[in-house]
Amino acid sequence: AAGVIQSPRHLIKEKRETATLKCYPIPRHDTVYWYQQGPGQDPQFLISFYEKMQSDKGSIPDRFSAQQFSDYHSELNMSSLELGDSALYFCASSSADRGRWEQFFGPGTRLTVL
Amino acid sequence: KQEVTQIPAALSVPEGENLVLNCSFTDSAIYNLQWFRQDPGKGLTSLLLIQSSQREQTSGRLNASLDKSSGRSTLYIAASQPGDSATYLCAVRPANTDKLIFGTGTRLQVFP
């Protein structure tokens, strides 16, 4: 079965640079979620989109922005990168199938800021 | 504020044992609860989802129960195998939000 696709899988950036992470949800899933997992920590919710509109917002820094496009893929844009942004970034997707909203996660993008 | 706790933090058992992993949450106003498996440095694999109106869900050797009123869920793993070694995370979705709030996980090691 098709899964959530994230690209790139690994990214190395310098401080103050920008980064763009991409997420392609499971086909026919209309909701996308972004999470950040720091070293040794549990995933923290950043932001979500339903039908291309922002639907919920968590602890996402103002330096970060995201959007969902007409084909339902999503991009997380990160500017003025800081050392503390080094983490594993997950995208998840879901649909309202039988009202379940089960979230399926992608493999993650490992961002390293030097 | 919803808080999710998992006990034990780590568990090491011989192959073949039946296991119980515990998850507790402080606010019973949840939409659903998911159990995930995470291998080191890898993504999260959804194991089971329990809706707030359900009491339990089963998938193969896994059984998850939910007692919403007491803020507890358990994941039961039957006949454990070395391939079950991973970190198990429970996550609750509070009512009227999209986000999952994760517990700190139980790191499981099953040795032959």
Side-chain angles (χ1 to χ4, degrees):
Chain A
V4 176
I5 297 172
Q6 291 187 246
S7 68
R9 294 292 308 277
H10 301 273
L11 192 57
I12 299 174
K13 291 286 185 179
E14 300 278 343
K15 280 195 310 183
R16 293 180 288 279
E17 286 190 325
T18 62
T20 297
L21 280 55
K22 297 185 178 182
C23 169
Y24 298 86
I26 293 171
R28 293 181 295 281
H29 280 197
D30 50 20
T31 306
V32 169
Y33 315 79
W34 287 96
Y35 292 83
Q36 177 191 59
Q37 185 176 31
Q41 299 179 0
D42 48 277
Q44 297 292 316
F45 173 76
L46 294 177
I47 196 166
S48 60
F49 294 87
Y50 169 69
E51 285 289 347
K52 292 152 281 185
M53 299 287 288
Q54 180 181 309
S55 56
D56 200 358
K57 192 173 181 180
S59 50
I60 183 169
D62 292 340
R63 300 178 288 109
F64 294 5
S65 64
Q67 58 181 325
Q68 185 180 32
F69 295 86
S70 58
D71 64 351
Y72 294 100
H73 95 272
S74 178
E75 294 184 4
L76 177 65
N77 298 293
M78 311 161 70
S79 63
S80 302
L81 287 169
E82 302 174 356
L83 296 178
D85 296 330
S86 295
L88 198 51
Y89 290 84
F90 289 111
C91 171
S93 72
S94 71
S95 72
D97 180 35
R98 293 171 289 164
R100 287 165 53 86
W101 297 106
E102 183 172 1
Q103 295 189 25
F104 295 91
F105 280 67
T109 293
R110 183 170 298 280
L111 173 66
T112 302
V113 181
L114 302 176
Chain B
K1 177 186 173 187
Q2 179 72 268
E3 292 183 359
V4 183
T5 305
Q6 290 185 245
I7 295 173
L11 190 58
S12 183
V13 299
E15 181 177 8
E17 281 206 2
N18 300 324
L19 308 171
V20 175
L21 308 183
N22 296 292
C23 173
S24 61
F25 47 96
T26 55
D27 189 339
S28 62
I30 65 170
Y31 186 76
N32 61 37
L33 182 147
Q34 278 186 259
W35 281 94
F36 293 89
R37 167 190 173 134
Q38 186 173 31
D39 293 284
K42 304 293 185 182
L44 288 82
T45 300
S46 180
L47 299 173
L48 289 164
L49 176 143
I50 309 178
Q51 298 283 65
S52 61
S53 58
Q54 296 176 321
R55 297 285 291 182
E56 67 176 323
Q57 282 287 314
T58 298
S59 176
R61 294 183 294 109
L62 305 179
N63 175 278
S65 67
L66 175 65
D67 184 342
K68 196 175 71 164
S69 61
S70 67
R72 293 179 185 174
S73 176
T74 60
L75 179 67
Y76 177 82
I77 304 176
S80 59
Q81 304 170 357
D84 295 331
S85 299
T87 295
Y88 290 79
L89 294 160
C90 77
V92 299
R93 179 170 172 166
N96 301 316
T97 72
D98 281 359
K99 62 185 172 187
L100 290 176
I101 297 176
F102 285 82
T104 48
T106 293
R107 190 168 60 255
L108 172 65
Q109 182 181 13
V110 181
F111 53 90

